Amino acid sequence: MSYYISARLKVPFDDAIARAEAALKTEGFGVISRIDIQQTLKSKIDVEFRPYTILGACNPTLAHEALQLEDKVGLMLPCNVIVQQSGSDEVEVAAIDPVASMQAISNPELVKAASTVREKLARAIDRLRQSEI
């Protein structure tokens, strides 16, 4: 089982971020954090890195349900989605597979809830793929 779901887009980097956020929104996710890895690495350790942004995506209803099932699951929230330059004309958008990440927790109800989150993230990523047609 892979630990992520991804799509490759032939769009400018900032456009890929906007498209990812819009696709997530259609599935009930909001972006509650944004980490610009390229800028962070430059400012903290003075290294050059490709454009790479981590979006912290949260579906409040599903997060609430998960927190009721397992009080420490917040250690694995929010769902991370990365947008990274992967070649001169391609950008990859990848989302964590919450089912894979929840395997560390022995709670069948939580795995069931993670499956719902996975379905929504997969639909958002599929929407990105379809926008390339």
Side-chain angles (χ1 to χ4, degrees), residues 57-70 73-74 77-78 117:
C58 180
N59 180 308
T61 301
L62 297 175
H64 180 247
E65 178 184 335
L67 288 163
Q68 289 179 310
L69 294 169
E70 190 74 40
V73 78
L77 299 178
V117 177

Side-chain angles (χ1 to χ4, degrees), residues 11-83:
V11 300
F13 185 78
D14 289 337
D15 192 28
I17 290 175
R19 287 181 187 208
E21 289 178 339
L24 289 164
K25 186 175 182 179
T26 65
E27 293 297 329
F29 292 89
V31 173
I32 59 173
S33 64
R34 182 188 288 216
I35 303 168
D36 182 335
I37 295 296
Q38 182 184 43
Q39 184 272 328
T40 299
L41 293 177
K42 183 65 178 167
S43 69
K44 299 293 184 187
I45 60 173
D46 196 29
V47 296
E48 299 295 329
F49 197 74
R50 68 186 173 279
Y52 191 114
T53 297
I54 302 171
L55 304 173
C58 180
N59 180 308
T61 301
L62 297 175
H64 180 247
E65 178 184 335
L67 288 163
Q68 289 179 310
L69 294 169
E70 190 74 40
D71 70 338
K72 310 284 184 307
V73 78
L75 294 166
M76 298 180 172
L77 299 178
C79 295
N80 283 333
V81 176
I82 62 165
V83 180

Side-chain angles (χ1 to χ4, degrees), residues 46-132:
D46 196 29
V47 296
E48 299 295 329
F49 197 74
R50 68 186 173 279
Y52 191 114
T53 297
I54 302 171
L55 304 173
C58 180
N59 180 308
T61 301
L62 297 175
H64 180 247
E65 178 184 335
L67 288 163
Q68 289 179 310
L69 294 169
E70 190 74 40
D71 70 338
K72 310 284 184 307
V73 78
L75 294 166
M76 298 180 172
L77 299 178
C79 295
N80 283 333
V81 176
I82 62 165
V83 180
Q84 67 172 322
Q85 193 73 47
S86 64
S88 61
D89 68 340
E90 207 170 56
V91 177
E92 180 183 30
V93 179
I96 186 71
D97 180 343
V99 173
S101 66
M102 294 299 161
Q103 288 180 347
I105 303 171
S106 297
N107 183 330
E109 289 301 310
L110 188 62
V111 172
K112 184 177 170 185
S115 294
T116 300
V117 177
R118 185 193 193 288
E119 289 170 15
K120 290 180 170 295
L121 289 171
R123 281 196 300 263
I125 296 293
D126 283 342
R127 222 174 240 103
L128 292 171
R129 273 192 212 101
Q130 292 169 6
S131 72
E132 283 295 290

